[in-house]
Amino acid sequence: MATIVASVPAPKLRGSGDWRNALFVAPYLFVFLVMLVIPLAMGMWLSTTKSDLFGTERWVGLANFVRLFGDAIFLQTVANTFIFVLLTVPFLTLAGLGLALVLNRQERWAAVLRTIFFASTVLSVTVVTLVWRLVFLPDGGLLGVTAEALGKTPIAFLNDEKLAMPAIAVTTIWWCIGLPMVLFLAALQQVPRGLYEAAALDNASRWTTLTRITLPAIRRTFFLVIIIEVILQFQLFGQAQLMTLGGPNNATRPIVLFIYETGWRQWELGYAAAAAQVLFAMILIAAMIQYRISSRREVA
């Protein structure tokens, strides 16, 4: 009896095992703290101070935030950012899903089209905006030449307060459509083929197959794409900076461009940090709302 008891290995302490597991995430945790948490905390502190590039003058509490919400230009940048998100995110999501449904095939032409649609995503914002400026220019641009050929007057899209933001939205959709398409393609390829074979045996229509099998199977990816695109499009900067400089009459000036100009041209770092905190809160609230909606549907 004594021999049997001695051969049983001693139980390992739970605490020591947990600490060894924690070592695997320690490098990521270190980078997360240094690159995200600490800069975020410093930004929050900076937003409560009157600071410039030469240092902090004094602590002002919430004065920067009070000033922000009385600043007509900042409020317009908030409205511009929301309009841009509404113009781009629904179309990127639905168009990405549509492309994925059409190109989810093994044929060579589908592979070529997938490559073409994704190719725009790897281009830099400078190249993308240069290409689309040549499209929107009224004098010698693609749309201008086409309008003249049809006997119409060319439209200066980027100089029109009502058309400039839709023009930037079109540019962004062309640039970013590859990412949602790829995510939806990956999700579609995970749907079990047996479900489609059973639907075919039941003579289910394409609409029934789409709404009863495909869409429920990829709903998690659907919400993931929306969250990713909302976070990305709230950070509009390069397109507005390079195509319109925020004009005409601030019609295309987004929050990030406001932060850049306030911090690095007017040297009001505290004020710019406060605007950055407002943008962070907007993105966080939007992401949490979508996460809550998707979680409730998962439970239901």
Side-chain angles (χ1 to χ4, degrees), residues 160-181:
D160 189 300
E161 291 186 21
K162 295 182 179 178
L163 298 178
M165 185 60 85
I168 293 177
V170 170
T171 303
T172 304
I173 290 168
W174 180 86
W175 184 29
C176 300
I177 192 65
L179 177 61
M181 180 194 71

Side-chain angles (χ1 to χ4, degrees), residues 133-146:
R133 278 185 63 85
L134 294 176
V135 173
F136 289 123
L137 280 177
D139 299 327
L142 177 62
L143 295 181
V145 171
T146 304

Side-chain angles (χ1 to χ4, degrees), residues 83-261:
I83 291 172
F84 178 75
V85 170
L86 292 175
L87 287 175
T88 54
V89 172
F91 194 87
L92 280 169
T93 305
L94 296 177
L97 175 60
L99 286 175
L101 290 171
V102 173
L103 302 179
N104 185 30
R105 304 172 186 276
Q106 300 301 322
E107 288 86 350
R108 181 173 298 178
W109 65 268
V112 172
L113 289 179
R114 286 198 295 266
T115 304
I116 292 174
F117 281 113
F118 188 75
S120 62
T121 306
V122 303
L123 298 177
S124 70
V125 66
T126 305
V127 174
V128 171
T129 52
L130 179 61
V131 170
W132 280 92
R133 278 185 63 85
L134 294 176
V135 173
F136 289 123
L137 280 177
D139 299 327
L142 177 62
L143 295 181
V145 171
T146 304
E148 289 180 347
L150 296 175
K152 305 292 184 182
T153 303
I155 300 174
F157 289 92
L158 300 180
N159 294 326
D160 189 300
E161 291 186 21
K162 295 182 179 178
L163 298 178
M165 185 60 85
I168 293 177
V170 170
T171 303
T172 304
I173 290 168
W174 180 86
W175 184 29
C176 300
I177 192 65
L179 177 61
M181 180 194 71
V182 169
L183 292 175
F184 281 124
L185 277 170
L188 289 173
Q189 292 172 5
Q190 299 300 317
V191 180
R193 299 292 97 185
L195 295 178
Y196 293 115
E197 294 171 0
L201 291 175
D202 290 339
N203 293 323
S205 64
R206 290 186 177 182
W207 177 252
T208 302
T209 304
L210 174 66
T211 56
R212 300 296 180 86
I213 297 176
T214 304
L215 294 182
I218 64 170
R219 62 181 180 276
R220 291 183 178 178
T221 303
F222 193 84
F223 286 108
L224 175 66
V225 168
I226 293 177
I227 292 174
I228 290 176
E229 290 301 329
V230 166
I231 293 173
L232 290 177
Q233 305 314 328
F234 260 121
Q235 302 175 57
L236 167 66
F237 174 69
Q239 304 94 302
Q241 167 73 0
L242 296 172
M243 294 180 73
T244 61
L245 290 174
N249 196 21
N250 294 316
T252 60
R253 190 179 305 281
I255 299 178
V256 178
L257 184 56
F258 176 87
I259 295 170
Y260 167 75
E261 292 175 340

